[in-house]
């Protein structure tokens, strides 16, 4: 788990599934780094969680399970046309699988 989280922390992609990266929150470090260069504190307790905020309100969050040897990934997609949601979901899943080497 630690190796995978380290790999995701080092990820320098600026887009996922057609959404632009807006910021990357690393709650272990307690910071949020924005694409524009700005950095701010999360002001939250430190935990091994990464949050990638994407354009069009399509974030994803990665964290290790607290009780099992697996990672949990929470994601949202959005589209102006609801018929595109399945396509966007599949595209996001594919890119996350590539990121995690699946």
């Amino acid at each position: 788990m630690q190796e995978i989280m380290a790999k995701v922390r080092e990820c320098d992609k600026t887009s996922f599934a057609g959404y632009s990266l807006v910021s990357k929150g690393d709650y272990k470090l307690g910071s949020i780094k924005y694409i524009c260069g700005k950095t701010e504190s999360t002001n939250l307790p430190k935990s091994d969680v990464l949050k990638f905020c994407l354009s069009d309100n399509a974030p994803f969050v990665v964290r290790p399970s607290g009780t099992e040897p697996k990672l949990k990934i929470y994601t949202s997609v959005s589209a102006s046309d609801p018929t595109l949601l399945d396509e966007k979901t599949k595209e996001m899943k594919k890119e996350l699988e590539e990121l995690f080497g699946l």
Side-chain angles (χ1 to χ4, degrees), residues 42-56:
T42 61
N43 294 318
L44 294 170
K46 295 193 183 334
S47 61
D48 197 8
V49 175
L50 295 168
K51 182 176 182 182
F52 293 75
C53 289
L54 307 174
S55 60
D56 295 333

Side-chain angles (χ1 to χ4, degrees), residues 19 77-91:
Y19 301 108
V77 296
S78 65
S80 56
D81 180 350
T83 63
L84 298 175
L85 288 174
D86 282 343
E87 180 182 325
K88 282 292 192 182
T89 300
K90 288 175 186 173
E91 192 176 347

